[in-house]
Amino acid sequence: MRNIIRVCFSVFFIVLCFRTAHAQQGNVWEFENHRGLDFNYTPPKIISSSLSDSISQSAASIADCHGKMLFYGTIGLIYNRYDKRMPNGSSNTNGSGTIYIVPFPNDSSKYYYFYRYLAACVPNQMGQSCGLYYSIIDMSLDSGRGDVISGQKNITLNASPGSYTIVKNSDGTDYWIVSVMGADSVYVYPLTSSGIGNPKKQKVNASFSYPFFVKADHKGDKITMSGLELSSYTYAAVQFNFNNTYGVISNPVPFFDYSNSGLNSFPYVAEYSPDDSFIYLSSENPVSTGHDQYLYQCETAYPGNTLIKLYQKLNYHFGGWGSLQLGPDNKIYFALPGDSFINVIPYPDKRSTSSDIEINAVDLRPERLYSYLPNIYFPVRKIKFSGQDSVCVDSIHFTNISDTTYFQSFKWYFGDGDSSLAYSPWHAYKKPGAYSVLLVGINDCKAHLYFSDSVHVFLPALKGFNVNSITYSCQKSVLSIHNAVNATGQTYLYNYGDSAKFASDTIHTYRQAGKYVISQAVSNGNCLDTLRDTVSINIEPIPVAGFTIT
């Protein structure tokens, strides 16, 4: 008697349910009009801010690598983490503009506080006109609460009314400051541990009729600018290639045009999705009496051919443009000026429809958001993994696609009691069921970031049979099969290799001699498998009676 039993364990399907990690230094947002969001909570918690309503229309904040607030401010005022004005932080100029906070390369105690002053381009009380300025903040001052360094405040970088953005250098340490200089020029300043260097002055094949906004993608190889004129495009949004190794901007591609595309609105704020596959763009029709507000989405690779409208709010009757900012939870937040609510795009990495937007998701009442959402320069600290769909194999491979330059180590928890320190491990589950797989990334200050997926494990069907007996009789042989597995919840069908079809019978009658392939087909409802074996059958002939008389 031969036993033929083969048993394997594996993952049949992995169903991924996206979760996210926090980006730490962008975890706390402060707005004007006494409101802010703390992303150390899920969902983000509404917090109070010391910033009152002003004309700056912009605010900024930064946390440490644990997600704890360090300082925040507007163009005119800078506050420490205790909501007190820094001793030397209250004399900055006032006016509308854009603010970015950038840590010193290789010095975690100091920060650049960049701001663009733009208030009708006239000198303020300090004699400042339109331009890009910065101050330097040292967190060791004021007993560790931080302050603007004396003599390092309101330093002029350039006198352009154009907007600017911050791009991470490809070396992972330094930065580029990309500043629109008007006409058709862009200045690209290197920011290194030695300070801010001389700009690379570059001409681009576009003119800036009114340089509203500049935004880089998270990889640092694309930049979108709004308010440009290019060929027949007027007040256009244009995407450029950017070489973040050498600081070179090139290849303008327009994809939104006020005058020629029938969109009838001015593009303003752009934001990229976490994986940079999509661009989101807010716009306003200032000609309409109602200041109609819109939100568009397009594919980064083909922006001009994929533009769709996701949202509109007609007759809004409040001037200004909607602001966009990617949150540390990998959702995009979209706010209209003067509104008491913030809308949320929960899955910005996929093609969206208007129904995908969570309208009024964040309630700021009784306050209103008079400033724009803060500009967070930090690249998304992506911690994420993927798992391939597997069919009846021995193990599953989890592929780590996190930011390798940010995390020093990783640890996996597979939900079945096992764990691993491997970067992209293989793992075999021994029982079916639903498991929560957790990936923990640990950064250089030992802060932990998390990503989890729901994993549904279906084991393959268990197969196995043996030939129990063969009974020979006149002109036939009867074969008896024994199911060697008989697992609960499985179905078994047999084919005996002759003209008979699959059946559940374990007894079969042969009427011709020969070799036959016996097949056992097994199903557990999720996975199919088949086991085969060959058997030799003899048929006894009909005895022939005969005798002779001698």
Side-chain angles (χ1 to χ4, degrees), residues 465-471 477-481 496 505-510 516 518 535-537:
F465 69 91
N466 55 57
V467 177
N468 195 34
S469 64
I470 301 176
T471 302
S477 293
V478 178
L479 176 72
S480 175
I481 293 295
Y496 292 93
D505 295 336
T506 58
I507 297 176
H508 185 71
T509 300
Y510 290 97
Y516 295 90
I518 304 173
V535 64
S536 295
I537 298 295

Side-chain angles (χ1 to χ4, degrees), residues 428-444:
Y429 288 92
K430 297 180 177 63
K431 294 181 180 180
Y435 298 89
S436 179
V437 179
L438 178 68
L439 173 60
V440 181
I442 304 171
N443 66 11
D444 55 2

Side-chain angles (χ1 to χ4, degrees), residues 251-311:
N251 191 31
V253 177
F255 63 92
F256 188 105
D257 178 29
Y258 170 77
S259 59
N260 295 330
S261 60
L263 298 172
N264 299 321
S265 59
F266 292 155
Y268 191 66
V269 177
E271 180 60 289
Y272 286 85
S273 65
D275 67 1
D276 295 325
S277 58
F278 291 98
I279 306 171
Y280 293 82
L281 189 72
S282 70
S283 67
E284 183 216 21
N285 186 353
V287 179
S288 71
T289 57
H291 291 280
D292 302 337
Q293 303 283 338
Y294 303 95
L295 175 65
Y296 291 87
Q297 181 202 53
C298 63
E299 295 179 18
T300 303
Y302 309 101
N305 299 325
T306 58
L307 190 70
I308 62 171
K309 182 166 62 178
L310 296 181
Y311 172 91

Side-chain angles (χ1 to χ4, degrees), residues 178-232:
V178 181
S179 177
V180 178
M181 294 303 295
D184 59 353
S185 297
V186 171
Y187 282 13
V188 180
Y189 298 83
L191 194 164
T192 69
S193 57
S194 300
I196 301 174
N198 294 325
K200 298 175 181 288
K201 302 176 182 180
Q202 304 173 49
K203 296 287 187 180
V204 295
N205 186 26
S207 61
F208 305 107
S209 53
Y210 193 86
F212 295 138
F213 195 81
V214 183
K215 189 75 171 187
D217 71 355
H218 306 102
K219 292 190 291 288
D221 59 7
K222 301 287 185 184
I223 292 178
T224 290
M225 301 184 187
S226 62
L228 277 67
E229 293 183 4
L230 177 65
S231 184
S232 61

Side-chain angles (χ1 to χ4, degrees), residues 124-147:
N124 63 6
Q125 68 273 15
M126 299 179 64
Q128 288 178 299
S129 296
C130 291
L132 179 56
Y133 298 85
Y134 68 92
S135 300
I136 297 177
I137 295 172
D138 187 340
M139 292 306 298
S140 68
L141 299 178
D142 193 25
S143 301
R145 290 182 286 268
D147 196 9

